Amino acid sequence: MAGKVKWVTDIEKSVLINNFEKRGWVQVTENEDWNFYWMSVQTIRNVFSVETGYRLSDDQIVNHFPNHYELTRKDLMVKNIKRYRKELEKEGSPLAEKDENGKYLYLDFVPVTYMLPADYNLFVEEFRKSPSSTWIMKPCGKAQGKGIFLINKLSQIKKWSRDSKTSSFVSQSNKEAYVISLYINNPLLIGGRKFDLRLYVLVSTYRPLRCYMYKLGFCRFCTVKYTPSTSELDNMFVHLTNVAIQKHGDDYNHIHGGKWMVSNLRLYLESTRGKEVTSKLFDEIHWIIVQSLKAVAVNASPSLTSSTANDRILKYNLINDTLNIVVPNGEIPDCKWNKSPPKEVLGNYEILYDEELAQGDGADRELRSRQGQSQGPRAGRSRDSGRTVLTTWK
């Protein structure tokens, strides 16, 4: 057993177990000494709760940062990004620059959002400024489209309770917290349908921040063409891309699952919008990811359920490439190991951001010194002694 990585998981998914077994790693139980534990979200919460006080030893790795929910919970994500923006403002960071209307130039990637019931009165005040607007309500702690609905009238959220004496919003004890956001009613459509992006980002360390983008992400499409018509507000096949919702639609395709690879999306956008616009779009997507990670020390909780054969292959390879980065050469983990893995082992990952390299290259200082130039998610090229230097936020 010496020298072999000992693994545990409480998620019975073949894409995980096959990857562990092909490396010759040894399966043990959670009560034995282990090196790698792929935990469910609930297990992470239990293991790293205040009550247990559990701390990882130097030769142990888990698949989540213990406080991953600071970004993956909708309400906490909004709270942390708002706090991050305020901190940058206090520091005088150019990233927090605003236009003449008080709108962030580079950090305006979260729609107007409130917490309910806590921010109900603030929400009502904002709603009345544009009474014809549409808002989307999401329960803070749920996934797969559960509990989501759209509203365009205040009366539509009175299914909750309201204190008639004070006109203040009151949550019943059995009602959980929601976030309510201004709905984006003019989304980019392909074939008349809404879609979203499922992108995989691996964060191997947070201090320094080092993250990788998986190149084989995919788009998820709605099965029914989009319309902003108020008559379709209740039709989730129009508005929500979650497979858990769409698979019940009459037009759902069980072979391809209503998905496109991100590479196909890029080709489509390049052919319809041009390469320059498409490159700018993806650079800004990467910008949003890095800034969100900087707002909190986090990880994400991607679904490992495969709805199609291509899904299964993608997720097997995703796990394979992930393990090659976080457990290099199949060696026993060591918390002191903090090197960037060589490019040849990244597989379908590419480095998204490396804080050490960024500081070494002076990228952060460059961002501050680029007076009169566009700052934030923009890349340009400059000549330095005949050498082409990439001047970007990375």
Side-chain angles (χ1 to χ4, degrees):
M1 297 270 289
K4 291 280 189 179
V5 173
K6 290 171 276 190
W7 64 272
V8 191
T9 184
D10 59 349
I11 302 176
E12 293 296 318
K13 296 292 183 183
S14 61
V15 293
L16 286 175
I17 296 171
N18 292 347
N19 265 294
F20 298 150
E21 291 179 345
K22 85 163 189 176
R23 287 168 166 75
W25 294 359
V26 179
Q27 184 175 13
V28 295
T29 68
E30 66 271 14
N31 296 320
E32 299 177 84
D33 289 336
W34 51 266
N35 305 118
F36 193 101
Y37 196 154
W38 194 289
M39 300 183 182
S40 66
V41 169
Q42 191 56 52
T43 300
I44 281 280
R45 289 175 183 166
N46 294 339
V47 169
F48 292 98
S49 67
V50 176
E51 290 75 22
T52 63
Y54 187 83
R55 291 292 180 270
L56 294 174
S57 61
D58 288 354
D59 62 352
Q60 291 183 317
I61 289 180
V62 294
N63 59 308
H64 292 283
F65 288 102
N67 60 337
H68 64 94
Y69 50 82
E70 291 286 346
L71 188 62
T72 57
R73 261 188 71 104
K74 302 172 184 69
D75 55 338
L76 298 180
M77 175 192 73
V78 172
K79 180 199 74 173
N80 285 306
I81 289 176
K82 286 181 177 179
R83 176 186 50 77
Y84 175 64
R85 294 191 298 202
K86 288 180 181 177
E87 286 178 354
L88 290 177
E89 279 188 75
K90 289 179 181 177
E91 295 170 4
S93 169
L95 300 183
E97 186 180 343
K98 295 180 179 179
D99 64 15
E100 61 274 10
N101 298 317
K103 182 179 179 181
Y104 287 100
L105 292 177
Y106 314 116
L107 298 173
D108 183 38
F109 52 81
V110 178
V112 178
T113 301
Y114 297 97
M115 315 302 167
L116 296 183
D119 297 336
Y120 180 72
N121 290 332
L122 290 173
F123 159 68
V124 171
E125 183 180 338
E126 184 68 28
F127 182 89
R128 286 176 174 159
K129 293 177 185 177
S130 303
S132 61
S133 57
T134 299
W135 296 72
I136 184 167
M137 288 192 66
K138 300 181 180 183
C140 295
K142 289 185 179 177
Q144 300 182 322
K146 295 173 183 173
I148 296 178
F149 60 97
L150 278 65
I151 70 153
N152 63 349
K153 297 177 184 176
L154 289 177
S155 59
Q156 289 168 308
I157 55 174
K158 287 181 180 177
K159 61 177 67 175
W160 292 16
S161 63
R162 188 171 184 176
D163 187 331
S164 60
K165 292 182 180 179
T166 62
S167 293
S168 61
F169 194 75
V170 179
S171 176
Q172 298 173 3
S173 58
N174 63 340
K175 292 287 186 182
E176 60 183 309
Y178 269 65
V179 295
I180 186 164
S181 301
L182 188 62
Y183 190 56
I184 299 172
N185 59 11
N186 61 337
L188 175 64
L189 305 176
I190 295 181
R193 291 172 170 82
K194 278 187 65 174
F195 67 96
D196 74 355
L197 299 179
R198 179 53 56 99
L199 303 175
Y200 298 98
V201 176
L202 168 65
V203 183
S204 58
T205 71
Y206 196 77
R207 293 180 181 174
L209 175 61
R210 184 177 297 128
C211 52
Y212 304 83
M213 169 70 79
Y214 200 62
K215 289 181 279 189
L216 303 182
F218 55 88
C219 314
R220 307 182 302 180
F221 284 84
C222 287
T223 55
V224 178
K225 288 189 176 182
Y226 176 75
T227 172
S229 170
T230 56
S231 64
E232 294 290 348
L233 285 187
D234 294 332
N235 188 345
M236 292 301 103
F237 297 125
V238 170
H239 298 285
L240 301 185
T241 60
N242 307 75
V243 173
I245 301 289
Q246 294 296 330
K247 69 181 181 182
H248 299 294
D250 294 337
D251 297 322
Y252 181 73
N253 187 308
H254 291 272
I255 297 175
H256 58 64
K259 296 175 181 176
W260 262 15
M261 297 303 293
V262 167
S263 55
N264 290 336
L265 171 68
R266 187 154 196 155
L267 286 173
Y268 173 83
L269 293 176
E270 287 177 350
S271 65
T272 56
R273 305 296 179 103
K275 287 192 174 183
E276 184 178 347
V277 169
T278 302
S279 294
K280 178 175 178 288
L281 169 67
F282 278 88
D283 198 34
E284 291 183 347
I285 289 172
H286 296 164
W287 164 264
I288 290 171
I289 292 169
V290 172
Q291 297 309 311
S292 299
L293 290 171
K294 284 186 172 184
V296 286
V298 300
N299 194 274
S301 182
S303 165
L304 294 177
T305 301
S306 303
S307 56
T308 66
N310 286 338
D311 252 5
R312 193 170 298 108
I313 295 170
L314 182 151
K315 289 172 182 177
Y316 175 85
N317 290 330
L318 168 70
I319 300 301
N320 178 60
D321 293 343
T322 298
L323 296 178
N324 285 340
I325 292 174
V326 299
V327 190
N329 302 318
E331 298 171 4
I332 300 295
D334 184 351
C335 73
K336 300 180 183 66
W337 193 89
N338 190 32
K339 301 175 183 175
S340 297
K343 189 173 181 179
E344 55 267 22
V345 307
L346 297 184
N348 280 301
Y349 276 110
E350 55 187 357
I351 188 72
L352 182 60
Y353 182 82
D354 189 320
E355 192 170 38
E356 282 189 329
L357 290 178
Q359 292 173 347
D361 293 341
D364 291 341
R365 291 190 296 275
E366 165 125 8
L367 183 59
R368 291 177 178 274
S369 65
R370 289 162 62 190
Q371 296 178 356
Q373 296 185 31
S374 177
Q375 297 169 336
R378 312 293 195 271
R381 291 191 176 274
S382 61
R383 291 285 175 182
D384 179 14
S385 305
R387 181 172 62 91
T388 301
V389 181
L390 184 65
T391 56
T392 179
W393 56 270
K394 292 181 183 180

